[in-house]
Structures are given as C-alpha cells and as structure tokens.
C-alpha cells in the first residue's frame, strides 16, 4: 500500500452503473477531490479507460452516484 499523493483525489466508493437492462459498467469510482467536489471515473484496463462516455451520460451517472453516496453518508451518520 502506498500513501495518498497530497492534493490527489481519494476514492470514496466503488459502484456499478446499470445503463440499460443489458449493459452495466462495473467498477466505476466515485472520488473526492481536495476541494470536496465529487467526480466519477470509468474503470480502467491496462492503464486506459475501459469505457468512454459522452457528457450527458456522465452527468446522469454522476448525479445518481453522488445522491446515493450522500444518502448513505447521511443515513449512516444521522443516528
């Protein structure tokens, strides 16, 4: 294990994105940037992105992932 690079985004969740009933993108990452913003990353194979997506799809996946993450965090820590 290596220490996190200062200023680098940190992975806070791994998730699968069900795009259609026939297509799921597995092992996507939700990462927290140093400024607190959350971003998603496609899975990688051989050091390269394993999926390429256009901005509208990225925006929909990002919104769903952030909502789920915030819901989990609120539920877990609100008790």
């Amino acid at each position: 294990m290596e220490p996190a690079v200062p200023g680098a985004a940190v992975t806070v969740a791994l998730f699968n994105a069900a795009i259609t009933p026939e297509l799921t993108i597995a092992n996507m990452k939700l990462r927290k940037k140093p400024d607190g913003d959350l971003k998603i990353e496609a899975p990688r194979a051989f050091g390269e992105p394993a999926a390429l997506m256009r901005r509208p799809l990225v925006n929909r996946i990002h919104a769903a992932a952030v909502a789920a993450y915030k819901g989990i965090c609120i539920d877990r820590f609100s008790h």
Side-chain angles (χ1 to χ4, degrees):
M1 182 178 288
E2 296 180 24
V5 176
V10 176
T11 301
V12 294
L14 295 173
F15 65 95
N16 298 333
I19 307 304
T20 70
E22 296 84 18
L23 174 65
T24 297
I25 301 174
N27 300 317
M28 294 193 67
K29 293 180 182 179
L30 182 64
R31 296 177 51 90
K32 185 179 251 185
K33 300 189 299 186
D35 64 5
D37 283 346
L38 295 165
K39 68 177 187 172
I40 61 169
E41 289 184 6
R44 300 180 80 74
F46 306 105
E48 297 294 325
L52 301 174
M53 298 168 271
R54 301 230 185 263
R55 180 57 49 192
L57 179 58
V58 170
N59 292 344
R60 289 195 306 270
I61 295 170
H62 178 268
V66 169
Y69 175 72
K70 288 182 177 181
I72 289 168
C73 288
I74 289 169
D75 187 50
R76 181 175 293 166
F77 298 110
S78 65
H79 299 284

